[in-house]
Amino acid sequence: EIPLLGGERAILEPWRLAVAWLNLIYKDKFLELDINFVKGIDKNKWQVLKNMNLTGFNSPLASSMGRLFDAVAALVLEKYKVRFEAELAIELEKIATSYELGARSYEFKITKDKNQYILDPLPMLKEIIKDLKAKESKQKIAYRFHLTIAQMIRKICLVLRKETKINKVVLSGGVFQNRLLFSLCSGLLSGEGFKVFTHIDLSCSDSSISLGEAVIASFRS
């Protein structure tokens, strides 16, 4: 989970999400990182957000994949504000798709806390910072990020299949509007022998929640 510093404002100013992750990894020393994104941060605004983070004021926690995409896109694309939700994620997908040389995924961790698994992206974020400092191409970093998310999904599905014997995977949610991510995920999962399902007649985005609610209501009435 990561705090949405300023609540929903963090969605339209994704730099807030990026600095929340950077602060989690490096504390205040992230301001010394030699990357363009950090150089463009308004230090006065960060002090305000830092106090929000310390007190928890107007900083609800979020663990959605969309917010992770926002944070990484802000870092890589060196952009701080958007006009609409997922604008930077769409741009990140576009440049990732243009990378054709092939690359390995970044590192990540899967931990277990009581009865739930947690996908930990901190190792990935550290490697992304390393690549940014080394002036690697944005296209390559963007592609490696997408591949890492797909590998996270593959790995957790393997873990869950071993425990539950379930061999069917449903890819749903707004993040799977990302064609590159869907292609990477479905390819990796199919390669492991999973049966992969996704939407055909309806969108995989939040609009389908309404249909689900209607179905549940019809069964309860």
Side-chain angles (χ1 to χ4, degrees), residues 167-206:
N167 198 49
K168 298 176 181 178
V169 181
V170 178
L171 300 180
S172 185
V175 73
F176 285 110
Q177 294 180 98
N178 184 314
R179 293 183 180 180
L180 174 60
L181 181 64
F182 177 79
S183 175
L184 290 170
C185 282
S186 59
L188 289 172
L189 291 169
S190 296
E192 295 287 355
F194 286 100
K195 293 185 69 175
V196 181
F197 298 84
T198 192
H199 300 252
I200 296 176
D201 296 324
L202 299 168
S203 168
C204 61
S205 69
D206 290 351

Side-chain angles (χ1 to χ4, degrees), residues 6 44 76 99 102 104 124 126 154 220:
N44 292 326
V76 176
Y99 187 76
R104 64 177 179 84
M124 174 188 71
K126 290 177 181 178
R154 179 193 71 87
R220 290 182 175 177

Side-chain angles (χ1 to χ4, degrees), residues 21-152:
W21 281 110
L22 293 177
N23 182 64
L24 185 62
I25 299 169
Y26 302 103
K27 305 302 181 186
D28 265 347
K29 289 188 176 180
F30 84 81
L31 294 171
E32 301 171 11
L33 291 172
D34 185 24
I35 59 175
N36 291 336
F37 171 81
V38 169
K39 293 175 183 177
I41 291 173
D42 185 321
K43 305 303 187 295
N44 292 326
K45 287 184 178 180
W46 161 241
Q47 286 303 315
V48 174
L49 297 185
K50 180 181 177 181
N51 290 332
M52 276 187 181
N53 191 37
L54 290 172
T55 62
F57 175 74
N58 197 20
S59 300
L61 297 176
S63 60
S64 70
M65 188 64 74
R67 303 293 75 79
L68 180 61
F69 265 79
D70 286 345
V72 172
L75 279 170
V76 176
L77 301 173
E78 301 159 19
K79 294 186 177 180
Y80 305 87
K81 296 182 180 181
V82 297
R83 295 165 296 172
F84 54 87
E85 184 176 357
E87 180 181 358
L88 293 190
I90 293 169
E91 188 174 340
L92 193 71
E93 177 195 4
K94 184 177 180 179
I95 68 168
T97 304
S98 69
Y99 187 76
E100 300 177 349
L101 299 178
R104 64 177 179 84
S105 65
Y106 289 115
E107 297 295 321
F108 61 90
K109 291 192 298 184
I110 297 178
T111 59
K112 191 172 186 180
D113 181 17
K114 297 179 181 177
N115 294 320
Q116 65 179 1
Y117 287 98
I118 299 172
L119 297 173
D120 184 357
L122 289 182
M124 174 188 71
L125 289 164
K126 290 177 181 178
E127 285 196 273
I128 288 174
I129 295 298
K130 184 178 178 180
D131 273 356
L132 289 171
K133 291 171 68 175
K135 308 298 182 184
E136 288 280 8
S137 75
K138 294 179 180 180
Q139 290 81 2
K140 181 178 180 180
I141 297 171
Y143 180 83
R144 291 186 71 187
F145 167 69
H146 281 77
L147 180 59
T148 304
I149 299 302
Q151 289 287 11
M152 282 182 172

